[in-house]
Amino acid sequence: MKVGFLGPFGTYTHQAAYECFQDSITYCEKTTIADTIESLETLDYAVVPRENSIFGSVVETFDGLRSLKEGFILGEIVLKIQHCLVIKKGAKLADIDCVMSHEQALGQCRKFIAEHLSSAATFKTTSTAAAAEAVSRSKTLNVAAICSKICTTMFGNLELVEEGIQDEDFNYTRFFVLGRNSLIKPPSYPTYPTRALIRVTMRTTAADSETSFDLTEFLKILNLSVIRIDRRPAPLSITFRDMYFLELQSTSKEDLWPKKVEQSVSRIRDNGFLAESIGLW
Amino acid sequence: MKVGFLGPFGTYTHQAAYECFQDSITYCEKTTIADTIESLETLDYAVVPRENSIFGSVVETFDGLRSLKEGFILGEIVLKIQHCLVIKKGAKLADIDCVMSHEQALGQCRKFIAEHLSSAATFKTTSTAAAAEAVSRSKTLNVAAICSKICTTMFGNLELVEEGIQDEDFNYTRFFVLGRNSLIKPPSYPTYPTRALIRVTMRTTAADSETSFDLTEFLKILNLSVIRIDRRPAPLSITFRDMYFLELQSTSKEDLWPKKVEQSVSRIRDNGFLAESIGLW
């Protein structure tokens, strides 16, 4: 079994994928979110970021979902972005005089650096994973990296000094786990799924793009609990025609949920909308 | 009177502002969307892009609206992105051997260039306005620029050869016109406004960020026609608490609309949400 993820190795998406699949699978790094989603044509699973608690929805992911050919969302992973201080095995914190990481991670750990590594110089790398690699390859013991925890499993000679050294404590990212189809279930897929994602293209009621359809009426037809709504322009279509992604939640754990979602999507179609269920978890 | 806009002069935002205010106002260019919105502390109006029909919502604009201190949305302008071919007065199309513009505009007019300027070289500039300026300053008559129409009013020695030379015809941008407050009305403010924008922070029903509020129930309480929904993370708040921007539409032209919106917002507040009306047009 193989999972594609937004790479390179050592990213938080890699970490999220690892939390889901552990050592049961082969990890394949992809360069872009579009490539990761498209990798489902040949791989079994794909993991992509869906939203960050500070920066919001990941537009590239929703754009990939607009024209999803292969693939079905089968889970989500919520990861606390925990920056880690990592050194070479045998090194001592007191001897560190250079801390390396991506510019953003260095900025997010400013307080920790000022308090514990006040005499160390900071050095910017292209990614947090690149910093971990540089420390791993270093011939001296005076360098440290700020990176994700999974980097310590990638390089055998690294040691975790402290986890969660970022200044702010509310930085979370939510990831989607997609499968090649709806039948291939990831580990810990729930017995009774309680979530669903449906994709709907709005009706255009006038050619001049000025009149749009009433979403209040639309949700009445849907008649299920909607907990998140994201909007994107429908691909290759009439100007300002919207595509909505609606995340649904079951109000109880019950085996009728998949059927309820299916019936709801049918009801929407009967009312003249293009609609599809693209996830159930 | 003064209007701030996302600059520099000659951008499509400048063009949009001009379509609204014509020669009745002083135009003040701003470097970022945040600066443009904040300029309402000292200026009368501000114009910012809200969404493009291909690229979707402008995140920076909604982020600015999350914590709007001064300002109220009083209109929208829908602009067809029409690239124009511009030459020096007295020049002839047949003599043009160099076309200048921003990389994106050059790419968007590939067919026109191949057909009408096949022997001309293309030259990339930092913006479409910079291309217009370069043509204006040129000592020779063999150069052309691809830019917005408003550039021809900025430089007196330029002549419009053709408007709408882009390959694709469905590229529109919608802009918001904000006033310093709700009382300062822009030209052509309707007698009976039919739109409104409200900003709502969702209730968090559980500390673990896993349970969200049902939007279907929420829209029932709102009880007005909702035609667009945008979602952003609420600023400086609990992880994954959402802020929604709901665009409302009156189903008829009537002078009760402002009151209806106000009552609806009150009803939402009575149900425990943070809600405000931030626009009426």
Side-chain angles (χ1 to χ4, degrees):
Chain A
M1 303 284 271
K2 286 178 178 175
V3 58
F5 65 93
L6 177 64
F9 282 101
T11 58
Y12 284 98
T13 309
H14 181 201
Q15 169 107 42
Y18 189 79
E19 300 220 343
C20 179
F21 295 99
Q22 302 285 330
D23 295 318
S24 70
I25 205 159
T26 306
Y27 293 86
C28 306
E29 56 180 350
K30 298 287 158 189
T31 319
T32 65
I33 288 175
D35 283 351
T36 311
I37 293 175
E38 278 168 24
S39 75
L40 288 167
E41 286 172 23
T42 51
L43 307 181
D44 305 289
Y45 298 102
V47 178
V48 288
R50 177 240 169 108
E51 69 183 278
N52 175 271
S53 59
I54 299 169
F55 302 106
S57 291
V58 180
V59 169
E60 293 82 358
T61 293
F62 284 95
D63 281 355
L65 294 177
R66 290 194 302 185
S67 48
L68 194 64
K69 279 169 240 151
E70 314 281 334
F72 194 78
I73 300 162
L74 293 166
E76 67 171 41
I77 302 152
V78 178
L79 195 73
K80 187 170 180 182
I81 301 302
Q82 293 266 70
H83 291 311
C84 298
L85 187 73
V86 157
I87 55 175
K88 272 193 101 156
K89 278 181 183 161
K92 282 177 198 152
L93 190 57
D95 298 333
I96 300 300
D97 57 20
C98 175
V99 193
M100 300 190 273
S101 195
H102 187 269
E103 187 171 8
Q104 278 189 11
L106 288 171
Q108 286 165 14
C109 301
R110 217 170 275 142
K111 282 184 205 161
F112 181 91
I113 295 169
E115 212 165 302
H116 298 94
L117 294 157
S118 56
S119 59
T122 56
F123 185 81
K124 291 172 199 171
T125 52
T126 53
S127 69
T128 54
E133 191 178 352
V135 171
S136 168
R137 288 187 178 179
S138 166
K139 285 180 183 129
T140 60
L141 295 172
N142 61 334
V143 289
I146 293 172
C147 55
S148 67
K149 194 178 177 183
I150 201 167
C151 289
T152 59
T153 68
M154 289 163 54
F155 306 100
N157 61 349
L158 294 184
E159 190 184 322
L160 176 70
V161 181
E162 195 163 337
E163 192 177 353
I165 62 167
Q166 66 281 353
D167 302 341
E168 300 291 349
D169 214 32
F170 59 88
N171 189 355
Y172 287 80
T173 302
R174 174 180 281 130
F175 299 84
F176 277 142
V177 181
L178 290 93
R180 203 172 48 218
N181 57 52
S182 62
L183 303 173
I184 178 172
K185 304 285 193 272
S188 75
Y189 188 79
T191 317
Y192 300 112
T194 55
R195 296 283 175 98
L197 195 77
I198 63 168
R199 182 178 71 188
V200 186
T201 308
M202 287 290 116
R203 261 200 321 244
T204 307
T205 48
D208 66 359
S209 83
E210 283 306 303
T211 316
S212 304
F213 191 75
D214 179 2
L215 284 154
T216 307
E217 287 303 314
F218 175 80
L219 290 193
K220 275 185 198 160
I221 299 166
L222 182 69
N223 197 27
L224 288 175
S225 284
V226 176
I227 58 166
R228 285 185 194 94
I229 297 183
D230 284 280
R231 182 168 76 102
R232 293 293 302 145
L236 301 173
S237 96
I238 299 163
T239 306
F240 292 128
R241 175 179 279 193
D242 288 320
M243 181 178 264
Y244 281 95
F245 294 89
L246 305 164
E247 188 175 337
L248 313 178
Q249 187 174 42
S250 170
T251 42
S252 61
K253 293 206 175 191
E254 46 168 12
D255 51 8
L256 285 173
W257 176 241
K259 192 155 193 77
K260 270 192 181 175
V261 172
E262 196 188 292
Q263 286 168 343
S264 191
V265 169
S266 292
R267 209 159 46 233
I268 295 168
R269 285 201 192 122
D270 293 344
N271 279 273
F273 297 93
L274 286 170
E276 273 163 290
S277 162
I278 60 167
L280 201 66
W281 69 95
Chain B
M1 304 283 270
K2 286 179 179 173
V3 58
F5 65 93
L6 178 64
F9 282 102
T11 58
Y12 284 97
T13 309
H14 181 202
Q15 170 105 41
Y18 190 79
E19 300 221 343
C20 179
F21 296 99
Q22 302 285 330
D23 295 319
S24 70
I25 206 161
T26 306
Y27 292 86
C28 306
E29 56 179 351
K30 298 288 160 188
T31 319
T32 65
I33 288 175
D35 283 352
T36 311
I37 294 175
E38 278 168 25
S39 75
L40 288 167
E41 285 173 24
T42 51
L43 308 181
D44 305 289
Y45 298 102
V47 178
V48 287
R50 178 241 170 105
E51 68 184 277
N52 175 271
S53 59
I54 298 169
F55 302 107
S57 291
V58 180
V59 169
E60 293 81 359
T61 294
F62 284 96
D63 282 355
L65 295 177
R66 289 194 303 184
S67 49
L68 194 65
K69 281 169 236 149
E70 313 281 334
F72 194 78
I73 300 161
L74 293 165
E76 66 171 41
I77 302 151
V78 177
L79 195 73
K80 188 172 179 180
I81 302 303
Q82 292 267 71
H83 290 312
C84 298
L85 186 74
V86 158
I87 55 175
K88 271 193 104 155
K89 278 182 183 161
K92 283 177 196 150
L93 190 59
D95 299 332
I96 301 300
D97 56 19
C98 175
V99 193
M100 298 189 275
S101 193
H102 187 269
E103 187 172 9
Q104 278 189 11
L106 288 171
Q108 286 165 16
C109 301
R110 218 169 275 143
K111 281 185 206 163
F112 181 90
I113 295 170
E115 212 165 303
H116 298 95
L117 295 156
S118 55
S119 59
T122 56
F123 186 82
K124 291 172 198 171
T125 53
T126 53
S127 68
T128 55
E133 190 177 352
V135 170
S136 167
R137 288 188 178 177
S138 166
K139 286 180 182 131
T140 60
L141 296 173
N142 60 335
V143 288
I146 293 173
C147 56
S148 67
K149 194 178 176 183
I150 200 165
C151 288
T152 59
T153 67
M154 289 163 54
F155 306 101
N157 60 348
L158 294 185
E159 189 185 324
L160 177 69
V161 180
E162 195 163 337
E163 192 178 353
I165 62 167
Q166 66 281 351
D167 302 340
E168 300 291 348
D169 215 33
F170 58 89
N171 188 356
Y172 287 80
T173 302
R174 174 180 282 131
F175 300 84
F176 276 141
V177 181
L178 290 93
R180 203 173 46 217
N181 58 50
S182 61
L183 303 173
I184 178 173
K185 304 285 194 272
S188 74
Y189 188 79
T191 316
Y192 300 112
T194 54
R195 296 283 175 98
L197 195 76
I198 63 167
R199 181 178 70 190
V200 186
T201 308
M202 287 290 116
R203 264 201 317 246
T204 307
T205 48
D208 66 0
S209 83
E210 283 306 303
T211 316
S212 304
F213 191 73
D214 179 2
L215 284 153
T216 307
E217 287 303 312
F218 175 80
L219 290 192
K220 276 185 198 161
I221 299 166
L222 182 69
N223 197 27
L224 288 174
S225 284
V226 176
I227 58 167
R228 283 185 196 94
I229 297 183
D230 284 281
R231 180 168 77 101
R232 293 293 301 146
L236 301 173
S237 94
I238 298 162
T239 305
F240 292 127
R241 176 179 279 195
D242 288 320
M243 181 177 264
Y244 281 95
F245 294 89
L246 305 164
E247 189 176 339
L248 313 178
Q249 188 174 40
S250 171
T251 42
S252 60
K253 292 205 174 190
E254 45 167 13
D255 51 8
L256 286 173
W257 176 240
K259 192 154 191 81
K260 270 192 181 176
V261 172
E262 195 189 294
Q263 286 169 342
S264 191
V265 169
S266 292
R267 209 160 44 232
I268 294 169
R269 285 202 193 121
D270 292 345
N271 279 272
F273 296 93
L274 287 169
E276 274 163 291
S277 163
I278 59 167
L280 201 64
W281 70 96

